[in-house]
């Protein structure tokens, strides 16, 4: 009982102290005239950790670049570990990889090693006909050209043998060659050449050259095995082809998005009300166009198309083509767009009385930006820094993934061998007992790896690379937010605008943030990066354990996703306001977070009125910019603007540059409108500080403009029931 009473007293005391802190506003300070000039370094320990972490990241990059070789991702590798098609090598003119026995690609171990357990050689072209080794021997007696044709798919020093047993022992030539086509520098069987119009239900049989009878279904399974092996590279190269074809149009589209963003920001200074309604009707019109187009596509598809099989139908291309030829696809997209349209209309109806507040805030933000035009250029600097971080992460990840030396394994073309899949050395392999004990065994390249300490920690290095990337990205964003907050705070606390605004406020605020508050910004970025890293780990575990999940595990995963999403949003909100307080007073991260939280809690009603409404208006602006560019890109890449301009006509997937432009336009608009968002939030924080410090009298005048003061302090009626 005594412990219970003491616990209650402690809880009451904590609530009392918290209530005092929440309700204790700031006092009037005649010496306060904006961001504090006299500062000291904050969160020094975190700054040192951050600098050491960056130093380790640089060393990791150098280590990866010393061991990695990106050519391993660009060129296929034969059984001797040599690249196909690489200049300056014996395989310079042999650009395609040929598989001796494609049926070995159906082995389950193939997906573990990411390599077919059969001999692979580099060739200059793929076979055009079906021919077994025995048939070649019979025909070669009459025409010597058959051996000349067949030997190009054998090893370099191959010689004709008399029996099939000798061929199996030597392993110099394949048992049979099949009509193939080069696909991502690999010879993939062309089923249409084997049997014209083949369908999945057929059972056509043929000899594979070893005396075994094969069916077309087995052949398809083998081809699918290779397809699964290179599917990711297939997509990647086709995407690169599309980007190489459309990169000029992508740059033009991104430039248009930048011009539109700049134009809207300038117009907000003079016609905020008109531009707001232009945002509204523009977004509704673009979504309405999407609904209309989906309805047309839905109406034009009469029935589900027949699923035909063709060689290049493997993998994602076939699924994408089928996806866009289904009535259900366009009907679902039409329903989704209609729901978004209805939600926007409903939100506008409920926020109609608060829109005027957002318009006044945007006008005030426009006035601040007009006095600080350098703020509109700052997103370019942020974009450059983010591009450097992304490029460094991507290059380091590629070099880490390609670190290692060729690893060779014992592979047996037929039968079983106790040495199969063991590591071997191709130079001494012919002198070992393995070829005698296992006829036909060969020492073939399997994968890239190693057993050194460096190779044992490749996965750890990749995790380090990812976490460093998240930390740096969030730090760059935090640095921009703190610099902009300091500049806009200098504008707000100037009694006579623009005369009292200090010179070069953005440059000064940026210098203060780097010199004094690198540790505080790194601390906030570290917290956010940790949350994002946990999200990545949860997603990774979900993908690895997806097949073993039950309903309870899926429910737990959804709960974790929701919790981490809410946590990330909350941390971003608190960090952003903490950076504003750091720019104002120069305190450390924890104190600034506490002060910002208490200030917002003391003005919670004003926060709910201004923050979400302003965010909604700016979101509409971002959607409008990306929507305008997206519609133009869609019409261009689907060849609907040929009368006006000739766009690219050889795209594999038109949606690749289209989605790139939509996403890129949104990010550009987000970069420019985030300046507005930071301006509005800084002005609002300063306004709350202004109300607590001053009372509007001659001795304590407000720094806020009369129009903004009147609309933010006006009491609004509660919600109607």
């Amino acid at each position: 009982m005594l412990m219970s009473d003491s616990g209650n007293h402690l809880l009451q005391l904590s609530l009392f102290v918290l209530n005092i802190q929440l309700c204790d506003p700031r006092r009037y300070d005649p010496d306060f005239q904006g961001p504090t000039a006299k500062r000291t370094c904050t969160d020094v320990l975190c700054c040192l950790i951050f600098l050491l972490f960056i130093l380790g990241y640089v060393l990791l990059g150098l280590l990866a670049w010393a061991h990695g070789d990106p050519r391993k991702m660009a060129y296929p590798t034969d059984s001797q570990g040599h690249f196909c098609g690489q200049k300056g090598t014996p395989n310079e003119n042999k650009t395609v990889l040929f598989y001796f026995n494609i049926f070995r690609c159906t082995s389950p171990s193939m997906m573990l090693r990411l390599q077919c357990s059969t001999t692979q050689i580099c060739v200059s072209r793929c076979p055009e006909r079906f021919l077994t080794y025995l048939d070649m021997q019979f025909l070669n007696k009459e025409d010597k050209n058959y051996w000349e044709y067949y030997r190009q798919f054998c090893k370099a020093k191959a010689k004709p043998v008399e029996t099939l047993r000798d061929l199996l022992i030597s392993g110099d030539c394949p048992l049979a060659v099949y009509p193939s086509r080069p696909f991502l520098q690999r010879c993939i069987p062309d089923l249409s050449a084997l049997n014209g119009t083949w369908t999945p239900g057929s059972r056509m049989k043929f000899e594979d050259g070893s005396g075994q009878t094969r069916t077309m279904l087995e052949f398809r399974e083998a081809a699918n095995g290779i397809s699964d092996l290179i599917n990711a590279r297939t997509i990647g190269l086709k995407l690169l082809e599309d980007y190489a074809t459309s990169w000029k149009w992508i740059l033009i589209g991104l430039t248009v998005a930048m011009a539109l963003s700049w134009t809207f920001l300038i117009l907000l200074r003079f016609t905020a009300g008109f531009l707001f309604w232009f945002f509204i009707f523009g977004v509704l019109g673009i979504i309405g166009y999407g609904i209309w187009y989906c309805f047309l596509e839905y109406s034009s598809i009469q029935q589900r198309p027949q699923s035909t099989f063709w060689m290049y139908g493997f993998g994602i291309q076939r699924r994408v083509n089928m996806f866009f030829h289904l009535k259900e696809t366009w009907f679902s997209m039409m329903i989704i767009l209609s729901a978004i349209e209805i939600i926007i209309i409903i939100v506008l109806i409920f926020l109609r009385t608060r829109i005027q507040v957002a318009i006044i805030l945007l006008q005030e933000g426009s006035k601040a930006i007009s006095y600080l035009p350098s703020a509109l250029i700052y997103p370019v600097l942020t974009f450059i820094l983010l591009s450097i971080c992304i490029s460094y992460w991507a290059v380091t990840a590629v070099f880490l993934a390609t670190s290692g030396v060729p690893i060779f394994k014992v592979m047996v073309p037929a039968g079983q061998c106790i040495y199969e899949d063991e590591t071997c050395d191709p130079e001494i392999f012919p002198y070992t007992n393995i070829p005698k004990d296992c006829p036909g065994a060969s020492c073939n390249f399997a994968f890239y790896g190693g057993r050194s300490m460096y190779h044992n920690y490749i996965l750890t290095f990749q995790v380090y690379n990812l976490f460093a990337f998240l930390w740096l990205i969030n730090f760059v964003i935090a640095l921009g937010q703190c610099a902009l907050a300091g500049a806009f705070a200098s504008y707000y606390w100037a009694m006579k605008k623009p005369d009292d605004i200090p010179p070069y406020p953005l440059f000064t605020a940026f210098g203060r943030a780097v010199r004094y508050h690198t540790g505080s910004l790194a601390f906030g970025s570290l917290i956010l990066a940790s949350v994002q890293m946990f999200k990545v780990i949860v997603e990774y575990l979900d993908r690895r354990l997806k097949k073993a999940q039950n309903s309870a595990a899926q429910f737990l995963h959804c709960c974790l996703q929701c919790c981490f999403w809410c946590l990330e949003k909350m941390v971003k909100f608190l960090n952003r306001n903490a950076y504003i307080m750091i720019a104002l007073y120069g305190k450390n991260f924890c104190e600034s977070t506490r002060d910002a939280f208490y200030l917002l809690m003391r003005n919670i009603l004003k926060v709910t009125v201004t923050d979400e409404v302003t965010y909604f208006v700016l979101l509409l602006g971002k959607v409008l910019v990306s929507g305008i560019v997206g519609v133009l890109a869609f019409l261009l890449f689907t060849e609907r603007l040929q009368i006006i301009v000739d766009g690219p006509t050889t795209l594999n997937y038109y949606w690749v540059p289209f989605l790139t432009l939509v996403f890129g336009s949104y990010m550009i608009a987000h970069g420019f409108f985030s300046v507005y968002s930071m301006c509005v939030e800084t002005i609002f924080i300063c306004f709350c500080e202004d109300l607590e410090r001053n009372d509007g009298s001659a001795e304590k005048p407000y720094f806020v403009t009369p129009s903004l003061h009147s609309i933010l302090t006006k009491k609004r009626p509660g919600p109607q029931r």
Side-chain angles (χ1 to χ4, degrees):
M1 180 66 70
L2 182 61
M3 293 181 62
S4 177
D5 291 340
S6 61
N8 291 333
H9 289 309
L10 182 61
L11 178 61
Q12 292 176 2
L13 180 61
S14 301
L15 292 174
F16 177 74
V17 172
L18 179 62
N19 185 52
I20 290 177
Q21 289 180 328
L22 285 176
C23 299
D24 186 22
R26 294 191 181 274
R27 305 293 182 180
Y28 171 72
D29 184 3
D31 297 329
F32 182 77
Q33 296 180 350
T36 304
K38 295 182 180 180
R39 299 169 181 248
T40 57
C41 295
T42 56
D43 296 305
V44 178
L45 179 61
C46 192
C47 179
L48 294 176
I49 295 174
F50 181 63
L51 294 178
L52 290 176
F53 198 85
I54 292 179
L55 178 61
Y57 196 27
V58 173
L59 294 177
L60 175 62
L62 296 175
L63 190 64
W65 295 341
H67 289 81
D69 188 356
R71 295 177 303 173
K72 299 171 185 176
M73 300 185 69
Y75 299 100
T77 309
D78 65 9
S79 296
Q80 301 303 314
H82 302 145
F83 298 123
C84 297
Q86 184 185 2
K87 294 183 178 180
T89 64
N91 293 330
E92 180 176 357
N93 297 323
K94 299 178 179 180
T95 59
V96 190
L97 189 68
F98 173 74
Y99 299 89
F100 269 30
N101 187 0
I102 189 176
F103 295 100
R104 299 284 292 179
C105 297
T106 60
S107 171
S109 62
M110 182 270 297
M111 290 308 296
L112 297 177
R113 294 193 299 258
L114 295 180
Q115 190 81 1
C116 288
S117 57
T118 183
T119 302
Q120 304 166 34
I121 63 172
C122 299
V123 296
S124 57
R125 61 173 181 169
C126 295
E128 298 94 2
R129 67 182 78 172
F130 176 75
L131 187 64
T132 66
Y133 190 86
L134 296 178
D135 292 338
M136 182 274 299
Q137 283 184 316
F138 178 77
L139 296 172
N140 192 59
K141 295 177 181 179
E142 300 178 0
D143 188 354
K144 299 298 182 181
N145 291 329
Y146 278 95
W147 167 244
E148 296 300 324
Y149 173 79
Y150 203 90
R151 70 180 299 178
Q152 63 182 326
F153 306 111
C154 300
K155 293 182 180 178
K157 298 180 180 180
K159 296 181 179 179
V161 295
E162 296 297 331
T163 64
L164 188 62
R165 175 180 173 80
D166 294 336
L167 179 63
L168 291 174
I169 293 175
S170 66
D172 290 338
C173 291
L175 297 173
V177 295
Y178 307 93
S180 306
R181 301 174 69 177
F183 186 57
L184 245 69
Q185 294 182 271
R186 288 166 173 81
C187 291
I188 305 296
D190 185 4
L191 301 182
S192 61
L194 279 172
N195 186 25
T197 56
W198 180 82
T199 59
S202 65
R203 288 289 192 274
M204 191 186 78
K205 299 180 180 180
F206 60 93
E207 298 289 336
D208 66 354
S210 63
Q212 296 184 8
T213 301
R214 302 284 188 174
T215 66
M216 290 299 294
L217 288 180
E218 292 180 275
F219 206 61
R220 179 192 179 188
E221 185 179 357
N224 270 325
I226 299 179
S227 176
D228 292 337
L229 184 64
I230 65 174
N231 191 41
R233 186 176 295 180
T234 302
I235 301 169
L237 289 185
K238 288 202 171 188
L239 294 182
L240 290 177
E241 289 178 3
D242 288 340
Y243 283 130
T245 304
S246 59
W247 67 271
K248 293 181 180 179
W249 296 104
I250 292 177
L251 288 180
I252 293 174
L254 296 179
T255 304
V256 171
M258 186 180 299
L260 283 175
S261 301
W262 254 326
T263 303
F264 286 154
L265 290 180
I266 294 173
L267 292 177
L268 277 173
R269 171 71 175 85
F270 306 100
T271 58
F274 169 78
L275 208 58
F276 168 77
W277 292 111
F278 180 77
F279 286 170
I280 295 294
F281 290 111
V283 171
L284 293 178
I286 290 175
I287 298 177
Y289 172 79
I291 296 172
W292 174 75
Y293 183 81
C294 291
F295 176 76
L296 290 181
E297 291 290 334
Y298 171 78
S299 303
S300 63
I301 300 176
Q302 299 299 327
Q303 59 183 4
R304 186 189 299 265
Q306 294 288 333
S307 177
T308 57
F309 180 88
W310 68 99
M311 182 56 235
Y312 292 93
F314 291 119
I316 192 172
Q317 180 173 345
R318 181 171 183 263
R319 292 195 291 270
V320 170
N321 289 337
M322 290 297 298
F323 179 78
F324 285 107
H325 285 82
L326 295 176
K327 298 187 69 173
E328 291 84 352
T329 299
W330 296 105
F331 181 76
S332 301
M333 293 173 63
M334 183 175 63
I335 294 299
I336 293 173
L337 291 177
S338 300
I340 295 175
E341 186 101 342
I342 293 173
I343 290 173
I344 293 177
I345 294 174
I346 293 175
V347 170
L348 287 174
I349 293 174
F350 279 96
L351 296 180
R352 64 187 185 280
T353 58
R354 301 178 179 178
I355 289 176
Q356 188 62 27
V357 178
I359 292 176
I360 296 296
L361 277 172
L362 291 176
Q363 287 178 338
E364 190 67 22
S366 302
K367 190 183 301 182
I369 291 176
S370 66
Y371 291 137
L372 305 173
S374 57
L376 293 179
I377 305 177
Y378 190 83
V380 179
L381 175 61
T382 302
F383 176 77
I384 294 174
L385 294 177
L386 291 178
S387 300
I388 294 174
C389 294
I390 294 172
S391 301
Y392 188 88
W393 163 76
V395 171
T396 304
V398 169
F399 274 85
L400 283 174
T402 56
S403 296
V405 296
I407 301 298
F408 296 86
K409 296 282 187 178
V410 176
M411 297 183 183
V412 183
Q416 295 182 351
C417 176
I418 59 174
Y419 300 105
E420 185 176 9
D421 207 33
E422 288 190 2
T423 305
C424 58
D425 186 346
E427 294 184 359
I428 64 174
F429 180 79
Y431 308 104
T432 63
N433 294 327
I434 299 178
K436 298 179 182 179
D437 297 338
C438 304
S442 58
C443 184
N444 292 345
F445 167 79
F447 54 87
Y448 291 101
R451 296 182 179 179
S452 65
M453 181 178 295
Y454 170 78
H455 296 103
N456 292 335
Y457 287 94
I458 288 292
L459 180 60
T460 304
F461 292 153
Q462 288 285 19
V463 173
Y464 186 97
N465 182 35
L466 177 60
F467 185 76
F469 165 72
L470 294 175
W471 196 356
L472 285 175
I473 287 291
N474 288 306
F475 177 80
V476 170
I477 296 174
L479 179 61
Q481 291 175 342
C482 189
L484 290 172
F488 292 127
S490 300
Y491 158 81
Y492 182 91
W493 294 105
M495 182 61 70
K496 296 180 180 179
K497 302 176 180 61
D499 298 335
D500 292 343
I501 299 177
Y504 311 110
L506 182 58
F507 179 79
T508 304
F510 181 83
R512 281 198 302 258
V514 173
R515 180 179 179 182
Y516 297 109
H517 308 302
T518 297
S520 299
L521 300 179
F523 191 8
S525 306
L526 175 63
I527 297 174
L528 184 56
S530 301
V531 174
Q532 294 171 342
M533 192 66 187
F534 277 116
K535 286 180 61 179
V536 173
I537 293 174
V538 170
E539 288 297 325
Y540 173 77
L541 293 177
D542 175 64
R543 291 181 180 275
R544 292 298 299 267
L545 304 175
K546 201 157 193 175
K547 294 183 179 180
Q549 284 184 356
N550 52 25
S551 300
Q554 292 178 353
F555 174 76
L556 179 61
H557 173 253
C558 292
C559 292
L560 287 175
Q561 277 187 319
C562 181
C563 291
F564 277 113
W565 181 83
C566 295
L567 181 61
E568 183 182 9
K569 292 295 181 182
M570 183 186 70
V571 171
K572 283 184 177 180
F573 176 77
L574 292 176
N575 281 7
R576 193 163 57 247
N577 289 281
Y579 299 149
I580 296 175
M581 300 303 287
I582 290 173
L584 270 174
Y585 299 106
K587 297 181 180 180
N588 62 42
F589 178 78
C590 293
E591 291 184 7
S592 299
T593 304
R594 181 198 60 192
D595 293 343
F597 177 76
Y598 290 152
L599 179 64
L600 294 175
M601 290 299 102
R602 292 195 296 267
N603 298 272
I604 187 64
L605 294 179
K606 296 184 181 67
V607 173
T608 56
V609 170
T610 58
D611 191 64
E612 295 304 324
V613 178
T614 306
Y615 173 80
F616 176 71
V617 174
L618 294 178
L619 176 64
L620 291 179
K622 301 172 193 176
V623 173
L624 180 61
V625 171
S626 58
I628 292 175
V629 176
V631 169
L632 294 176
F634 177 79
L635 296 176
L636 177 68
F637 295 135
T638 55
E639 303 179 27
R640 288 174 168 81
L641 289 179
Q642 287 186 333
I643 301 177
I644 303 175
V645 61
D646 292 330
T649 58
T650 58
L651 296 174
N652 296 300
Y653 311 115
Y654 74 86
W655 46 267
V656 171
F658 166 71
L659 291 181
T660 302
L661 264 178
V662 171
F663 178 76
S665 301
Y666 181 85
M667 294 307 297
I668 288 176
H670 176 74
F672 284 97
F673 282 94
S674 64
V675 174
Y676 240 98
S677 178
M678 203 64 198
C679 177
V680 170
E681 289 193 39
T682 304
I683 289 175
F684 178 74
I685 290 289
C686 293
F687 169 75
C688 294
E689 290 273 325
D690 194 7
L691 287 185
E692 293 185 353
R693 289 179 176 276
N694 305 300
D695 56 9
S697 62
E699 295 79 13
K700 304 176 183 179
Y702 288 129
F703 287 81
V704 67
T705 57
S707 58
L708 185 60
H709 178 270
S710 62
I711 196 165
L712 286 179
T713 56
K714 183 168 58 177
K715 186 176 181 180
R716 296 188 174 276
Q720 299 178 357
R721 296 183 181 273

